[in-house]
Amino acid sequence: MNSNVTSVIAAVVLNCNSRCRMCDIWQNKIKSEVRPEFYNKLPKSLKDINLTGGEPFLRRDLSEIVRIIRNRCPEARILINTNGFLVKSIDKQLKKILEYDKKIAIRISLDGWGKNHDRIRGIKEGFEKCMESLKIMKELGVKDLGIAFTLMKDNVKDLEKIFDYCVDQGLVFSLTLVSESPIYFGKDKQEMRPKDSFELKKVFKRISKKQYLSFNPKDWGKAWFNNSLYEYLKAGKRSLVCDAGKKWVYVDSLGKVYSCQMKPWLLGDLKKKRFKEIINSKKMEEIKRKVNKCNDCWMVCSARTSMKSNLIKLSLEVIRDKMRYSFS
């Protein structure tokens, strides 16, 4: 058996300084999280590494983690997800991070406009802190910079406004749907999802049209994904079969390797076994069969590798939809 894993989602910390309604990670009090040198255990051939949390900037050694990963995986695109609340830490650490990786990608979570974001995230003046962090990141020269928006009942009215803000500011816009996970977000989150409605459908249509009429082909792919997200919201079925465990895995802050961050399908402990041993185990083959039938999420991080593996199908559908939006 040979590993084809090209991407890793790594939670460098599973504690958080936020109080999000749609996530319970902030309730954790985890200690003994892996040290920066742990990341030398990642395979050198990785192409995408998503550093997430919890809140990554809670780690004072985040820049050292980036340095080690960059040296270990020279071809990988490294992305950091942050809530943007630790303004001083972001300013201090990002200067070091950019010394190690000038192409670092960053996504700030923004789940509502103004006070609505503060209510959803449970942090006073959280929106202003996000704006301040965005300003710092721009001034320091971060090029691959964007907003990550988690769609739920409480923020449907802000979806298009935040999308338009990203277009105006030249930021990448990433959309996901509130989801639950016994090993990550917590349980009983599905009820926070918005119901399909005529108004929601119109918002998705307007956003997709703006993306399809863009001159940037990457926006066309994002439009396809967002349309697929709307269909997933309606029917609960992924547009593409998940390839967790085949093309990507989740590594938590204690060194445990799972097929993904959504299911408690533990593959092994990277502190005790080599990555190759874990990925090429009989247990992995068993979990892959479960993954083939799973429809528990439709997220950019879990769909990216599937999209790359289905470029012909995706391209044909993008061309079809682009023509439809161009003449509508």
Side-chain angles (χ1 to χ4, degrees):
M1 294 177 285
N2 295 312
S3 167
N4 293 312
V5 171
T6 60
S7 179
V8 164
I9 297 174
V12 296
V13 61
L14 280 174
N15 299 306
C16 194
N17 59 326
S18 187
R19 296 291 184 273
C20 301
R21 294 184 180 184
M22 66 292 189
C23 179
D24 297 336
I25 289 177
W26 61 271
Q27 297 180 28
N28 293 340
K29 290 180 173 54
I30 296 176
K31 298 180 180 180
S32 302
E33 294 180 301
V34 295
R35 297 178 62 80
E37 52 267 26
F38 165 84
Y39 295 96
N40 276 314
K41 294 177 177 290
L42 296 177
K44 296 179 180 180
S45 57
L46 290 178
K47 301 299 181 184
D48 286 286
I49 301 171
N50 187 331
L51 302 183
T52 187
E55 172 48 47
F57 281 95
L58 281 174
R59 291 201 59 151
R60 297 179 180 179
D61 55 2
L62 181 61
S63 60
E64 181 65 7
I65 291 173
V66 172
R67 184 189 70 79
I68 287 173
I69 291 177
R70 172 50 63 224
N71 289 339
R72 176 68 179 174
C73 309
E75 300 300 319
R77 172 180 178 261
I78 303 174
L79 182 146
I80 300 174
N81 291 285
T82 176
N83 58 35
F85 296 152
L86 297 173
V87 179
K88 291 183 179 179
S89 177
I90 287 171
D91 186 23
K92 181 179 179 179
Q93 292 215 63
L94 189 52
K95 291 173 182 175
K96 293 182 180 179
I97 288 170
L98 286 166
E99 291 178 10
Y100 305 136
D101 188 351
K102 296 185 184 303
K103 295 182 179 180
I104 195 76
I106 300 181
R107 299 291 179 267
I108 291 185
S109 296
L110 193 62
D111 299 317
W113 193 261
K115 296 297 182 182
N116 197 32
H117 179 67
D118 298 356
R119 283 191 292 270
I120 290 171
R121 289 271 162 173
I123 297 295
K124 187 178 180 180
E125 299 180 350
F127 181 79
E128 286 76 11
K129 291 174 182 177
C130 286
M131 293 296 108
E132 189 174 351
S133 291
L134 271 173
K135 181 181 177 183
I136 289 170
M137 291 170 186
K138 283 184 175 182
E139 290 176 347
L140 290 177
V142 178
K143 304 298 182 185
D144 192 345
L145 182 59
I147 297 295
F149 183 92
T150 301
L151 180 64
M152 64 193 82
K153 291 177 185 176
D154 294 346
N155 62 10
V156 170
K157 65 182 178 63
D158 291 331
L159 171 56
E160 190 170 11
K161 183 169 186 175
I162 290 179
F163 171 81
D164 288 340
Y165 172 78
C166 289
V167 173
D168 181 65
Q169 296 295 315
L171 302 170
V172 176
F173 176 76
S174 297
L175 179 62
T176 192
L177 184 64
V178 60
S179 298
E180 61 188 38
S181 163
I183 62 168
Y184 198 65
F185 301 114
K187 300 178 181 179
D188 303 321
K189 307 300 179 185
Q190 307 290 69
E191 62 185 27
M192 298 180 69
R193 289 180 174 178
K195 301 293 183 184
D196 181 27
S197 65
F198 180 67
E199 183 56 38
L200 183 62
K201 183 178 181 179
K202 286 199 302 182
V203 170
F204 267 87
K205 187 173 181 179
R206 287 195 297 267
I207 289 175
S208 294
K209 184 170 185 177
K210 292 172 185 177
Q211 289 177 314
Y212 272 125
L213 295 182
S214 164
F215 293 106
N216 186 347
K218 289 184 178 180
D219 288 334
W220 309 343
K222 293 185 178 73
W224 180 90
F225 174 85
N226 291 339
N227 281 339
S228 297
L229 180 66
Y230 176 70
E231 293 302 319
Y232 175 79
L233 175 61
K234 290 197 302 179
K237 185 173 176 59
R238 293 173 59 96
S239 295
L240 298 172
V241 175
C242 185
D243 55 11
K246 305 170 193 176
K247 296 294 183 67
W248 66 278
V249 294
Y250 166 63
V251 182
D252 76 7
S253 64
L254 298 176
K256 299 290 193 304
V257 181
Y258 295 83
S259 58
C260 67
Q261 75 275 33
M262 305 303 296
K263 308 294 286 187
W265 295 338
L266 179 64
L267 297 171
D269 189 335
L270 195 51
K271 291 185 301 213
K272 299 177 181 178
K273 291 186 177 181
R274 292 184 303 155
F275 192 88
K276 188 174 182 180
E277 288 181 84
I278 293 172
I279 298 304
N280 292 329
S281 66
K282 288 184 179 180
K283 192 171 186 179
M284 172 65 93
E285 292 303 305
E286 175 189 336
I287 288 176
K288 283 180 182 179
R289 289 191 288 272
K290 294 182 181 180
V291 169
N292 286 337
K293 301 175 183 178
C294 185
N295 282 291
D296 278 10
C297 78
W298 179 247
M299 301 179 175
V300 172
C301 59
S302 67
R304 182 182 290 110
T305 49
S306 294
M307 290 169 68
K308 289 180 179 178
S309 299
N310 290 272
L311 277 179
I312 295 177
K313 166 183 163 63
L314 193 150
S315 297
L316 291 174
E317 293 184 5
V318 163
I319 292 170
R320 177 201 65 196
D321 291 342
K322 181 170 172 57
M323 291 181 66
R324 179 160 56 88
Y325 279 104
S326 296
F327 293 103
S328 64

